[in-house]
Amino acid sequence: MASEQELSQFLEEVEKRAFKRAYFHVKDEDAALDIVQESMMRLAENYADKPIEEIRMLFGRILTNSTLDWFRRQKTRNAIFTNMSEFERHDDEGGAFSLLDTYAGPDGSQLVESAEDATGRRQVFEAIESALKKLPARQREAFIMRYWEDMDVAETAAAMGCSEGSVKTHCHRAVQALGNMLSGMGISL
């Protein structure tokens, strides 16, 4: 069992290296500091009773897991709280352009939709967002990463911390559930 002094000395030794490692991955000083602090807290709370040799190995793994958790939280936060306003852009004259209000025709020309079409499309987007929120967290996470973030199966598996087979299963189930929910609302895509 590591003494309190040994644990404290170990944490002082690895503090700067851990920060550099976390900063290299996340490229954000505040986030890197949070990751290192979280890792040190996890180590102290859960593994203080281990011998110092094991603590050295455990800390590296905890830091890696904390970094992956940070990436997962960022992806999930960005995906879940993304609303349709992110699909909006500004035109060349500085005026607002809304995807929901304007449709680019097949030849690239801007065609203004009728109010009925725009309202119908807006309702479909809202129904899709609503249906996504009803999915289980892992299915929603896999679906958003694969189909909205355009990540491949391997990238999604790494971000979610699961196997590629699990990603495929979550995506398949999400697509089925979304299809059932949307068809239950009378929407066919």
Side-chain angles (χ1 to χ4, degrees):
M1 181 169 137
S3 69
E4 190 175 318
Q5 183 179 3
E6 286 177 319
L7 183 60
S8 179
Q9 185 178 358
F10 167 73
L11 292 175
E12 285 179 29
E13 287 174 15
V14 298
E15 179 181 23
K16 289 181 182 174
R17 286 193 317 265
F19 171 76
K20 286 181 183 179
R21 180 175 159 188
Y23 181 70
F24 175 76
H25 289 292
V26 300
K27 295 176 180 49
D28 178 347
E29 285 185 21
D30 293 331
L33 287 171
D34 289 344
I35 290 168
V36 171
Q37 182 179 16
E38 180 181 333
S39 299
M40 289 181 169
M41 293 297 293
R42 282 185 187 173
L43 181 74
E45 289 172 356
N46 300 319
Y47 302 103
D49 60 338
K50 301 286 184 189
I52 194 70
E53 297 79 29
E54 285 184 38
I55 287 176
R56 292 182 189 284
M57 292 185 297
L58 285 168
F59 183 73
R61 189 66 199 158
I62 292 170
L63 184 62
T64 299
N65 288 342
S66 294
T67 305
L68 289 173
D69 289 346
W70 182 86
F71 278 111
R72 280 188 207 110
R73 283 191 303 267
Q74 294 304 308
K75 288 209 174 280
T76 302
R77 189 173 293 132
N78 292 341
I80 290 173
F81 297 111
T82 298
N83 58 28
M84 297 313 287
S85 66
E86 288 196 7
F87 291 106
E88 294 178 354
R89 64 174 172 79
H90 296 283
D91 63 16
D92 295 335
E93 290 111 31
F97 166 88
S98 173
L99 176 68
L100 297 175
D101 296 334
T102 307
Y103 166 73
D107 60 353
S109 64
Q110 299 268 330
L111 303 175
V112 177
E113 288 183 305
S114 70
E116 181 180 349
D117 291 342
T119 302
R121 191 152 44 101
R122 184 173 294 121
Q123 288 172 344
V124 169
F125 281 135
E126 288 171 359
I128 291 170
E129 284 183 335
S130 173
L132 273 171
K133 290 176 185 176
K134 293 177 184 174
L135 289 176
R138 298 291 281 178
Q139 288 180 19
R140 181 177 52 241
E141 184 180 15
F143 180 85
I144 289 172
M145 285 184 198
R146 288 282 293 127
Y147 302 115
W148 281 12
E149 306 254 342
D150 203 26
M151 295 170 68
D152 65 28
V153 175
E155 291 171 328
T156 305
M160 291 179 65
C162 63
S163 69
E164 292 182 19
S166 293
V167 169
K168 291 176 184 177
T169 300
H170 288 310
C171 285
H172 177 73
R173 289 179 180 165
V175 168
Q176 283 184 323
L178 285 171
N180 291 338
M181 282 188 264
L182 293 174
S183 66
M185 292 181 221
I187 299 170
S188 60
L189 302 175

